[in-house]
Amino acid sequence: MVAIHITTGSNTPIFQQIVAQVRAAIASGRWKVGDPLPSVRSLAKELVVNHNTVAKAYKQLLQDGLIDSHQGRGYFVAKRREIYTKAERVRRVRKLVQPLVSEAITLGLSSDEIVSLLKQELGKLRQSDE
Amino acid sequence: MVAIHITTGSNTPIFQQIVAQVRAAIASGRWKVGDPLPSVRSLAKELVVNHNTVAKAYKQLLQDGLIDSHQGRGYFVAKRREIYTKAERVRRVRKLVQPLVSEAITLGLSSDEIVSLLKQELGKLRQSDE
Amino acid sequence: MVAIHITTGSNTPIFQQIVAQVRAAIASGRWKVGDPLPSVRSLAKELVVNHNTVAKAYKQLLQDGLIDSHQGRGYFVAKRREIYTKAERVRRVRKLVQPLVSEAITLGLSSDEIVSLLKQELGKLRQSDE
Amino acid sequence: MVAIHITTGSNTPIFQQIVAQVRAAIASGRWKVGDPLPSVRSLAKELVVNHNTVAKAYKQLLQDGLIDSHQGRGYFVAKRREIYTKAERVRRVRKLVQPLVSEAITLGLSSDEIVSLLKQELGKLRQSDE
DNA sequence: GTGGTCTAGACCACG
DNA sequence: GTGGTCTAGACCACG
């Protein structure tokens, strides 16, 4: 089980924080295919947010094919399947890369340092796979 | 003088586009310490946007320490000040890198593809600097 | 301009009725690329539903790539782009075909009659294209 | 006797799966007019589902006029009654066909592909009848 | 006890 | 005036 933590003061919407953390848990392999997610209402209670907020996060993950829903039984980590075309996937990642680059440059990091940080994060994933 | 271009079709807020371009102009050295920025109203006129939008961008740059304001005289490129320690800057960039990696991996992109997309974006910046 | 009508008594959720009608307006070519959609709040007022309900419908259409959003300016009919893999698209259509078949058989229509009805609807589209 | 199979993994409500299978059994002639249906509780036991679920399915079939109930004796396959006129049946099916066509077209499927998917589903039914 | 839909209304961002 | 996020709470479907 992986705990989910949110920061209410943050600029990042709560539902996106939840999406990011579930995504990370699945991407890293800590949550396996078939694992049940915390129920919408129980997680909402635990995080002290409205149930609609959790539902919104889960809907996003459902849409992206990362989780499945079974009416009346809850949400479960889904078997991986390709939903988006290559072009669409690249488009989506590019939309995340742009603000990263903008922010990193502003903070004074060099291109090499940025690439290096990215590789470090990718490396962590690979280790947890082994 | 460096022209600023905005895209109204984009979903990136206009004020952020302005911020990003001023940052790039300063980071690349095209705008030197002490150079005056275009006045809020003249830039607004040129870009055909609301002057509040330009003012908002300048306020952001002021807050970031990249420009100084002199009451009644306008805005000027500031002497470079380090606001954050190296460790803090790396920490901030890392926080942006992590969700990028999660999303890209769950979308099914390989590590090489992700690194490649990042390098592409960094390359675009370099070109616009020249 | 195409009017949107909803039936509150229906089993079909309001937001899905909106989605279906916008989709039909775009598929039939009555709404062209670049056309603005009614604003979330104005349509909500007109239909006498909550603005969140309209927003939910528009979000769905956005996700499917049928419309674009421009922060602060509204929603517009998007240029067609492929978002889903072939397999995903077939999966989605199949999910709609199954209940259709089930209902039609129950109503006592023959396979030939069902196929014929489908072809009629497809024919209507083709005519409006010419 | 015709076995009824349900899939709990599916997102189709269990009671609807039961309804669909009873309908198919009757439509195909495997269950004849006057045949008794399995009792609510015995079928619930066999399928390992709540008896309310089976009761709900039977209520639906009763409502559709496909089965009759005899207080204290159980449910029986009813004499076929036409409830809706031909025109009404066609109207109802057409209402399901229209959103299917809209969605499929916006997803980029060709008319032939849509017809082909429909025929596939109809084909599945025919096989399960034999 | 699961999730799904909807309302009424607040507060915020962008321009 | 655009849309975006969130709350509190209601009512419903499924089982």
Side-chain angles (χ1 to χ4, degrees):
Chain A
M1 195 48 212
V2 179
I4 288 186
H5 300 288
I6 56 163
T7 315
T8 47
S10 161
N11 272 337
T12 311
I14 296 170
F15 85 93
Q16 279 183 21
Q17 296 182 41
I18 298 173
V19 167
Q21 291 185 47
V22 173
R23 214 191 281 279
I26 295 176
S28 70
R30 278 170 293 150
W31 286 8
K32 313 286 186 199
V33 171
D35 282 357
L37 273 73
S39 84
V40 168
R41 263 123 173 133
S42 71
L43 183 55
K45 205 169 178 183
E46 191 187 318
L47 300 180
V48 195
V49 299
N50 189 276
H51 63 86
N52 286 325
T53 304
V54 175
K56 189 172 186 175
Y58 282 14
K59 275 285 168 59
Q60 178 65 56
L61 292 159
L62 186 65
Q63 162 59 39
D64 288 347
L66 290 172
I67 62 179
D68 287 328
S69 74
H70 294 305
Q71 241 306 20
R73 297 206 293 123
Y75 289 92
F76 302 84
V77 176
K79 191 157 154 296
R80 270 204 61 198
R81 61 188 149 96
E82 296 283 327
I83 284 190
Y84 299 109
T85 57
K86 185 75 186 182
E88 182 66 14
R89 286 182 278 147
V90 166
R91 203 181 67 84
R92 284 170 179 247
V93 173
R94 207 187 291 280
K95 274 190 116 166
L96 291 173
V97 171
Q98 282 161 351
L100 164 72
V101 164
S102 173
E103 176 79 12
I105 293 288
T106 301
L107 283 167
L109 273 75
S110 69
S111 293
D112 287 350
E113 285 173 317
I114 301 168
V115 171
S116 166
L117 273 171
L118 174 61
K119 288 186 174 168
Q120 270 177 38
E121 287 301 321
L122 290 168
K124 280 186 199 163
L125 269 190
R126 201 163 306 123
Q127 288 174 346
S128 65
D129 281 0
E130 286 164 16
Chain B
M1 197 45 217
V2 180
I4 288 186
H5 300 288
I6 57 164
T7 316
T8 49
S10 155
N11 227 350
T12 310
I14 295 171
F15 89 92
Q16 279 183 20
Q17 295 184 41
I18 298 172
V19 167
Q21 293 190 41
V22 174
R23 273 175 177 162
I26 296 175
S28 68
R30 279 170 293 151
W31 287 6
K32 313 288 186 196
V33 172
D35 281 358
L37 272 72
S39 80
V40 167
R41 275 176 156 81
S42 70
L43 184 55
K45 203 170 177 184
E46 191 188 318
L47 301 180
V48 195
V49 299
N50 192 293
H51 62 83
N52 289 325
T53 306
V54 177
K56 186 167 189 173
Y58 281 15
K59 211 156 276 175
Q60 177 69 56
L61 291 159
L62 200 59
Q63 161 68 27
D64 290 348
L66 287 169
I67 64 178
D68 289 327
S69 72
H70 296 300
Q71 248 306 14
R73 293 204 293 123
Y75 292 87
F76 302 84
V77 176
K79 187 156 157 297
R80 187 124 174 56
R81 298 191 293 265
E82 293 284 340
I83 295 184
Y84 300 113
T85 59
K86 183 74 181 184
E88 176 63 12
R89 286 182 281 146
V90 166
R91 198 187 66 82
R92 283 172 177 251
V93 174
R94 205 187 293 279
K95 277 192 80 168
L96 291 172
V97 171
Q98 282 161 350
L100 164 71
V101 166
S102 292
E103 170 131 17
I105 292 290
T106 54
L107 279 168
L109 273 76
S110 70
S111 293
D112 287 350
E113 286 173 317
I114 301 167
V115 170
S116 167
L117 275 172
L118 174 62
K119 287 185 175 168
Q120 270 178 39
E121 288 303 318
L122 290 168
K124 280 186 198 163
L125 266 189
R126 202 164 305 124
Q127 289 174 346
S128 65
D129 282 358
E130 286 164 16
Chain C
M1 196 48 214
V2 179
I4 289 186
H5 300 288
I6 56 163
T7 314
T8 47
S10 161
N11 273 335
T12 312
I14 296 169
F15 85 93
Q16 278 183 21
Q17 296 184 41
I18 298 172
V19 167
Q21 291 187 47
V22 173
R23 213 191 284 277
I26 296 176
S28 69
R30 279 170 291 152
W31 286 7
K32 313 285 185 199
V33 171
D35 281 357
L37 273 71
S39 83
V40 169
R41 263 125 172 130
S42 71
L43 183 56
K45 205 170 178 181
E46 192 187 317
L47 300 180
V48 196
V49 300
N50 189 275
H51 63 85
N52 286 326
T53 303
V54 175
K56 189 171 185 177
Y58 281 14
K59 275 285 168 57
Q60 179 64 54
L61 292 160
L62 186 65
Q63 161 60 38
D64 288 346
L66 291 173
I67 63 178
D68 286 328
S69 75
H70 295 305
Q71 240 306 20
R73 297 205 293 120
Y75 288 91
F76 302 83
V77 175
K79 190 157 155 295
R80 270 204 61 198
R81 61 187 149 93
E82 297 282 328
I83 285 189
Y84 299 109
T85 56
K86 185 75 185 183
E88 181 66 14
R89 286 183 277 147
V90 166
R91 203 181 66 84
R92 284 170 179 248
V93 174
R94 205 186 292 278
K95 273 190 115 165
L96 292 173
V97 171
Q98 283 161 350
L100 165 71
V101 165
S102 174
E103 177 78 11
I105 292 289
T106 301
L107 282 166
L109 273 74
S110 70
S111 294
D112 288 349
E113 287 173 316
I114 301 168
V115 170
S116 167
L117 274 171
L118 174 62
K119 286 186 176 167
Q120 269 178 37
E121 287 302 320
L122 290 167
K124 282 187 200 163
L125 268 188
R126 201 163 307 123
Q127 290 174 345
S128 65
D129 281 1
E130 286 165 18
Chain D
M1 193 47 216
V2 179
I4 288 186
H5 300 288
I6 58 164
T7 317
T8 49
S10 156
N11 228 350
T12 309
I14 294 170
F15 89 93
Q16 279 183 21
Q17 296 184 41
I18 297 173
V19 167
Q21 292 189 43
V22 173
R23 273 174 178 163
I26 296 175
S28 68
R30 278 170 294 151
W31 287 7
K32 314 287 185 197
V33 172
D35 280 359
L37 272 72
S39 79
V40 168
R41 278 176 155 82
S42 71
L43 183 56
K45 202 170 179 186
E46 190 189 318
L47 300 179
V48 194
V49 300
N50 193 293
H51 63 84
N52 288 324
T53 306
V54 176
K56 187 167 190 172
Y58 280 14
K59 210 156 277 175
Q60 176 70 56
L61 291 160
L62 202 58
Q63 161 70 27
D64 290 348
L66 288 168
I67 64 177
D68 289 325
S69 73
H70 295 299
Q71 250 306 16
R73 294 204 292 124
Y75 292 87
F76 302 83
V77 175
K79 189 156 155 296
R80 187 127 175 54
R81 297 190 293 266
E82 294 283 339
I83 296 183
Y84 300 114
T85 60
K86 183 74 183 184
E88 176 62 14
R89 286 182 281 147
V90 166
R91 200 187 66 81
R92 284 172 177 250
V93 174
R94 205 188 293 280
K95 277 193 80 169
L96 291 172
V97 172
Q98 281 160 351
L100 164 71
V101 166
S102 292
E103 171 130 19
I105 293 291
T106 54
L107 279 169
L109 272 76
S110 71
S111 294
D112 288 349
E113 286 172 316
I114 301 167
V115 171
S116 166
L117 274 170
L118 174 61
K119 287 186 175 167
Q120 269 178 39
E121 287 302 319
L122 289 167
K124 280 185 200 164
L125 266 190
R126 201 163 305 125
Q127 289 174 346
S128 65
D129 282 357
E130 288 164 15

